[in-house]
Amino acid sequence: MPREIRILFQATKNCLYWYEYSYNTKVNVCSVEGSADNLSSGLQEMNGTVITEFFLLGFGNLHNLRILLFSFFLVIHVTALSANVFVIVLVVLNQSLHSPMYFLLSQLSLSEILFTSNIVPTMLWLILAGGGKVSVALCIIQFYLLGVPAMSQCLLLAAMSFDRYVAICRPLHYAIIMTLRCQLQIVTFCWLVSFTLSFVVYIFLRKLQFCGLNVINHFYCDITPVLELSCSDTSSLKMVAFLESISVVLTPLVFIIATYISILHTILRIPSTTGKQKAFSTCSSHLTFVCMYYGVLTSIYIFPPSNNSINANKSLSLLYTLVTPLFNPLIYTLRNRDIRAAMTKYLHVLGQCKAPKRERKKLITF
């Protein structure tokens, strides 16, 4: 059986239905019964058709698990959004958190909000619908809006490692180097580079033509399955994507490793054990998130599962888009003493505001 026909069968058990639904042909696909010759002729007819819509399979037909999975993912999504918004509000309102590290943390939380808000609503819709159509233009826009926060996260993590390097290795120069102007310049650079590089890929994607199959076995418009459906020359786009991945993924990772080598060397030179623990505690949260973030990112894009492991790729993407945005605020709130103290303070104030007047008077009297 030809490769493209096997792909159809792998996409879903009722692949012939998707063929008829996607291309609105007059072929009676139900009578074909999976015949290789008849399917091949149908595919040849489709190859000349210009695609204007993609069909996202999502997680396929979940039957009775649809509502359960939708509810579970919705709870995680709302929790991740609330936690990241809470971190931003906490940093803005609490005077003790007005430092470069927490300013960069608030920007990282903002990128997480933009990232997960771009993908998860589409994923939830696909779970309820069992798959759905999306226009090519909208699919490309979604990937652009996905690329901006993804790139900014890599750059912001590198900026946060630089902040920890200056704080630990150059403590006397910290106030001079990490000024408010420097912080704004770093954040502006991260977002500007992310928007620019993502827009370059967007321009290349807009020039592509798509024909033949239009089925994407994923829950969002990622670049790899989209390029597989293009009938245009994608070599230049792949080269641009490769160069950009080196500049915004690999280079920040090398920079983070270099800064932490210097940080570790400085910490080991501290004579007291208490001093070592205090110095390491200031960067342990950031290091934990970097390991988790880059571990998932490299598993998806640098060392992806084989083409036969579609479910494994979806699981990693699900971890990257749903779980990682939740872990960022959790790691910093659980492992960072300053954020825990600020959070406890505001929760206590909030509890007093909600308490009845008599109880508040008793607390004040006591």
Side-chain angles (χ1 to χ4, degrees):
M1 185 178 292
R3 178 175 177 273
E4 60 267 28
I5 300 173
R6 291 200 302 269
I7 291 175
L8 269 177
F9 277 113
Q10 289 175 1
T12 175
K13 293 181 180 179
N14 198 12
C15 59
L16 301 180
Y17 166 76
W18 301 123
Y19 164 76
E20 186 177 37
Y21 177 82
S22 302
Y23 294 95
N24 196 24
T25 60
K26 296 181 180 180
V27 179
N28 185 9
V29 293
C30 296
S31 64
V32 175
E33 296 182 355
S35 170
D37 295 334
N38 291 331
L39 280 173
S40 297
S41 61
L43 288 170
Q44 289 175 1
E45 180 182 347
M46 287 192 298
N47 285 335
T49 306
V50 177
I51 292 176
T52 58
E53 292 179 332
F54 292 130
F55 191 90
L56 296 174
L57 291 178
F59 297 96
N61 194 350
L62 299 171
H63 301 290
N64 297 331
L65 295 176
R66 182 179 303 173
I67 302 300
L68 179 63
L69 200 62
F70 173 85
S71 303
F72 178 67
F73 288 162
L74 180 61
V75 169
I76 296 179
H77 176 55
V78 172
T79 305
L81 284 180
S82 303
N84 281 285
V85 170
F86 182 72
V87 168
I88 295 175
V89 172
L90 205 62
V91 171
V92 172
L93 296 181
N94 197 301
Q95 191 70 26
S96 63
L97 298 181
H98 288 181
S99 64
M101 180 175 68
Y102 298 116
F103 175 65
L104 294 173
L105 175 62
S106 65
Q107 295 298 309
L108 186 64
S109 293
L110 176 61
S111 67
E112 295 283 17
I113 292 172
L114 296 176
F115 183 83
T116 187
S117 299
N118 180 36
I119 296 178
V120 177
T122 302
M123 181 186 69
L124 295 176
W125 164 61
L126 292 174
I127 290 175
L128 290 179
K133 294 189 296 182
V134 59
S135 66
V136 172
L138 188 60
C139 192
I140 295 174
I141 291 174
Q142 185 190 45
F143 179 75
Y144 170 71
L145 297 177
L146 166 69
V148 172
M151 291 182 180
S152 66
Q153 286 175 15
C154 296
L155 297 174
L156 287 170
L157 288 174
M160 294 174 74
S161 69
F162 174 73
D163 171 75
R164 292 299 84 205
Y165 166 78
V166 177
I168 296 175
C169 301
R170 300 288 187 271
L172 298 178
H173 300 87
Y174 184 76
I176 300 174
I177 296 175
M178 298 302 295
T179 60
L180 179 59
R181 181 180 179 182
C182 179
Q183 297 171 45
L184 294 175
Q185 287 176 344
I186 290 174
V187 169
T188 303
F189 172 79
C190 293
W191 286 108
L192 187 61
V193 169
S194 302
F195 275 103
T196 303
L197 294 182
S198 295
F199 187 73
V200 171
V201 176
Y202 171 80
I203 294 299
F204 275 89
L205 284 172
R206 290 286 296 176
K207 294 180 180 179
L208 296 181
Q209 286 189 343
F210 300 91
C211 53
L213 299 175
N214 73 335
V215 178
I216 296 179
N217 193 2
H218 216 310
F219 55 85
Y220 67 94
C221 295
D222 201 3
I223 188 170
T224 302
V226 169
L227 291 182
E228 290 178 353
L229 301 181
S230 175
C231 52
S232 304
D233 183 18
T234 59
S235 58
S236 58
L237 175 54
K238 289 180 180 179
M239 179 58 66
V240 169
F242 174 74
L243 295 175
E244 288 191 1
S245 64
I246 291 177
S247 61
V248 297
V249 178
L250 186 60
T251 302
L253 179 60
V254 172
F255 180 81
I256 292 171
I257 294 173
T259 54
Y260 271 103
I261 290 175
S262 300
I263 290 172
L264 181 62
H265 179 68
T266 303
I267 291 176
L268 292 177
R269 291 167 57 187
I270 298 175
S272 64
T273 304
T274 305
K276 291 179 181 178
Q277 292 177 350
K278 185 178 180 180
F280 185 75
S281 65
T282 60
C283 56
S284 59
S285 300
H286 175 258
L287 185 59
T288 302
F289 183 75
V290 166
C291 294
M292 182 187 66
Y293 179 81
Y294 271 99
V296 178
L297 189 66
T298 53
S299 299
I300 296 176
Y301 294 105
I302 299 179
F303 302 106
S306 61
N307 292 331
N308 296 326
S309 304
I310 297 176
N311 292 330
N313 192 16
K314 284 185 182 180
S315 300
L316 289 172
S317 299
L318 192 63
L319 183 66
Y320 180 58
T321 58
L322 201 62
V323 180
T324 302
L326 176 62
F327 270 39
N328 174 33
L330 288 180
I331 289 173
Y332 276 95
T333 53
L334 294 177
R335 298 179 64 90
N336 191 283
R337 184 175 57 187
D338 295 334
I339 290 186
R340 286 203 311 268
M343 182 176 64
T344 304
K345 174 185 174 183
Y346 276 99
L347 290 177
H348 179 68
V349 172
L350 185 62
Q352 285 186 337
C353 293
K354 289 184 177 181
K357 291 183 179 181
R358 291 182 179 179
E359 293 183 6
R360 276 186 284 175
K361 288 181 179 179
K362 289 181 181 180
L363 288 173
I364 293 172
T365 305
F366 178 77

